[in-house]
Amino acid sequence: MLTIKPNQSIGPISLGMHRTDVTRHLNTFQLDCRHTLNRDIFAEGKIVVDYNSNDEVIAICINRDPYLPTLEPDLFGFNPLQQAAHKTIMRMSLKGQYDNQDPQLGMSYIYPALGVYFWRDASPESLQKERQGQRFGGAEDYVWYEQALQDYQQFHCVGVFAPGYL
């Protein structure tokens, strides 16, 4: 498990840490890595680290997939990616308030005072709109929509970020 410390870190990766130190720490897990100009993607997308122009960490996120037991997040004693999203939001309400002015609210929940965010790629409204735009019919439509609703039940990633990142 990788412990999430709001406004600070996820596991061994801290906000403000230099890129070479991130790589050194994550190499102990023997993870594959893809590098881009301002981002490193570890373990087939499990961990994503964003950097500023000085190669300092400004955001870290853990994705739900792929499931890797040693790289699962722990936030305030629970894994926010393995339980229903509404339960995560209820538990987080004890720690802080999300940005209720977020234009992507429903898909994203940003806790500015904690420097923590949660994200999923759909909302019930966006799924319904997409379903109406599809040309499926019958069983194929039902299977797609039911799977999308199931995926919506959990967040797809959790992250910490530095002030000014979001």
Side-chain angles (χ1 to χ4, degrees):
M1 297 293 266
L2 297 175
T3 300
I4 297 174
K5 294 180 182 170
N7 291 312
Q8 295 178 33
S9 63
I10 295 180
I13 310 164
S14 298
L15 296 172
M17 181 182 278
H18 195 271
R19 191 174 206 163
T20 55
D21 294 326
V22 170
T23 301
R24 185 172 45 84
H25 283 293
L26 290 181
N27 278 344
T28 63
F29 290 98
Q30 299 178 341
L31 307 173
D32 64 275
C33 181
R34 285 191 337 255
H35 301 280
T36 65
L37 181 61
N38 293 314
R39 177 176 281 175
D40 288 340
I41 302 167
F42 295 90
E44 299 177 18
K46 183 67 177 180
I47 299 173
V48 178
V49 183
D50 288 344
Y51 302 94
N52 63 17
S53 59
N54 296 323
D55 278 345
E56 298 167 331
V57 175
I58 55 173
I60 313 148
C61 83
I62 298 179
N63 288 296
R64 186 175 70 192
D65 297 318
Y67 177 77
L68 300 168
T70 58
L71 299 178
E72 293 304 305
D74 178 76
L75 175 63
F76 302 123
F78 71 99
N79 181 339
L81 303 180
Q82 295 298 318
Q83 69 176 7
H86 73 277
K87 288 184 180 180
T88 295
I89 294 167
M90 287 183 351
R91 290 179 99 162
M92 289 300 296
S93 71
L94 300 173
K95 305 294 182 181
Q97 179 64 37
Y98 61 81
D99 176 4
N100 60 11
Q101 299 301 309
D102 180 359
Q104 300 229 342
L105 191 60
M107 294 187 322
S108 70
Y109 287 81
I110 301 168
Y111 292 79
L114 298 172
V116 173
Y117 70 90
F118 301 94
W119 180 82
R120 54 188 166 190
D121 65 0
S123 68
E125 297 80 17
S126 68
L127 289 174
Q128 189 63 37
K129 185 182 279 187
E130 188 172 342
R131 183 180 188 194
Q132 290 170 351
Q134 298 292 327
R135 301 253 186 257
F136 300 134
E140 186 178 341
D141 179 44
Y142 179 77
V143 170
W144 169 85
Y145 187 68
E146 287 302 308
Q147 183 61 52
L149 284 177
Q150 183 66 32
D151 289 345
Y152 169 77
Q153 298 302 314
Q154 294 176 303
F155 286 114
H156 296 152
C157 77
V158 58
V160 297
F161 61 93
Y165 177 73
L166 294 177

